[in-house]
Amino acid sequence: MEMTEQLFWLFVLAIPISCVAWTVTHEEVFREPREYCVGRSKCGKSILERKFFYLFTCEYCFSHYVTIFFLVLTGFKLLIDDWRGYLIAGFALVFTANAYMSIFAFLRQAIKKEKTEIEVMKKSVEPDEKEATDSIH
């Protein structure tokens, strides 16, 4: 596979990896299982149990396992055409997927901040409008 094709695969394959990792570790659809995992990661009897359940609460940790799944699924290798290519691809995919998730988190935060500011502005304008209508009547 040529270098440009490998880079294309790297940047495209990181998209579903980041999507799955983010959805499982942040979104409402997995809230109950995630809360269960958080509880077990804090109160598990053994360190192995606590670490196992922690993997489902951290997008960075979970992205490693999602990446392994996608490497097995696709057979993607980076730079070298043997087992070392899998290793390099794995870490490159984790890095790229986490960069995507960081960008996504930043955008979500900016959008949420903007929505909150709009709501605050609406509430500050509503009393002024009410006063204006009251003075007309």
Side-chain angles (χ1 to χ4, degrees):
M1 193 181 317
E2 287 186 33
M3 182 58 72
T4 54
E5 191 176 353
Q6 288 181 9
L7 289 174
F8 176 79
W9 271 89
L10 172 66
F11 289 112
V12 171
L13 199 51
I15 295 170
I17 292 169
S18 61
C19 182
V20 170
W22 182 273
T23 301
V24 170
T25 59
H26 287 84
E27 296 303 328
E28 184 65 23
V29 69
F30 287 102
R31 181 175 52 84
E32 291 85 1
R34 187 174 49 256
E35 287 173 353
Y36 173 79
C37 290
V38 166
R40 295 288 300 268
S41 73
K42 291 180 179 176
C43 302
K45 293 178 182 177
S46 71
I47 191 166
L48 185 63
E49 178 184 5
R50 290 190 304 271
K51 297 305 175 191
F52 174 78
F53 283 102
Y54 181 76
L55 296 175
F56 299 99
T57 65
C58 167
E59 73 269 7
Y60 176 75
C61 301
F62 192 61
S63 69
H64 285 78
Y65 293 94
V66 177
T67 296
I68 291 169
F69 171 78
F70 275 94
L71 285 174
V72 169
L73 185 69
T74 64
F76 175 63
K77 298 175 196 160
L78 190 61
L79 301 177
I80 304 169
D81 203 27
D82 60 16
W83 66 270
R84 297 172 297 172
Y86 285 120
L87 192 63
I88 294 167
F91 287 112
L93 283 166
V94 167
F95 177 84
T96 307
N98 279 280
Y100 288 169
M101 286 187 279
S102 295
I103 293 167
F104 181 69
F106 179 76
L107 290 173
R108 276 186 74 166
Q109 185 179 23
I111 291 168
K112 190 173 186 175
K113 179 183 175 194
E114 190 172 311
K115 284 182 179 180
T116 303
E117 289 172 350
I118 290 169
E119 288 300 316
V120 168
M121 284 191 292
K122 280 182 182 177
K123 287 181 181 178
S124 69
V125 170
E126 286 174 2
D128 294 341
E129 289 176 354
K130 188 174 181 176
E131 288 173 12
T133 10
D134 289 344
S135 64
I136 294 173
H137 296 308

